[in-house]
Amino acid sequence: MPALLIIAIIVGIVLLVTGIVSAALKALLFIGIVLIVLAVVGWILRRVRGGGSGV
């Protein structure tokens, strides 16, 4: 195989893996943000209703 074709295949594989990983990271980042927002809302509701220990 010509060296240029091998380099093109390697670059294609690297870009494919990078695209998959970055999409997964974006999904995990979104899930993390949603969990943080839910935790803050739960904490605020608990403080407003007086259900917490106040620590």
Side-chain angles (χ1 to χ4, degrees), residues 32-48:
I33 291 171
V34 168
L35 287 175
I36 290 171
V37 168
L38 288 175
V40 168
V41 168
W43 178 77
I44 290 172
L45 287 176
R46 208 169 156 195
R47 295 285 274 174
V48 168

Side-chain angles (χ1 to χ4, degrees), residues 3-48:
L4 188 59
L5 184 58
I6 294 172
I7 292 172
I9 290 172
I10 292 172
V11 169
I13 291 171
V14 168
L15 289 176
L16 178 68
V17 170
T18 304
I20 291 171
V21 169
S22 90
L25 289 177
K26 286 180 186 178
L28 289 175
L29 179 65
F30 178 73
I31 291 171
I33 291 171
V34 168
L35 287 175
I36 290 171
V37 168
L38 288 175
V40 168
V41 168
W43 178 77
I44 290 172
L45 287 176
R46 208 169 156 195
R47 295 285 274 174
V48 168

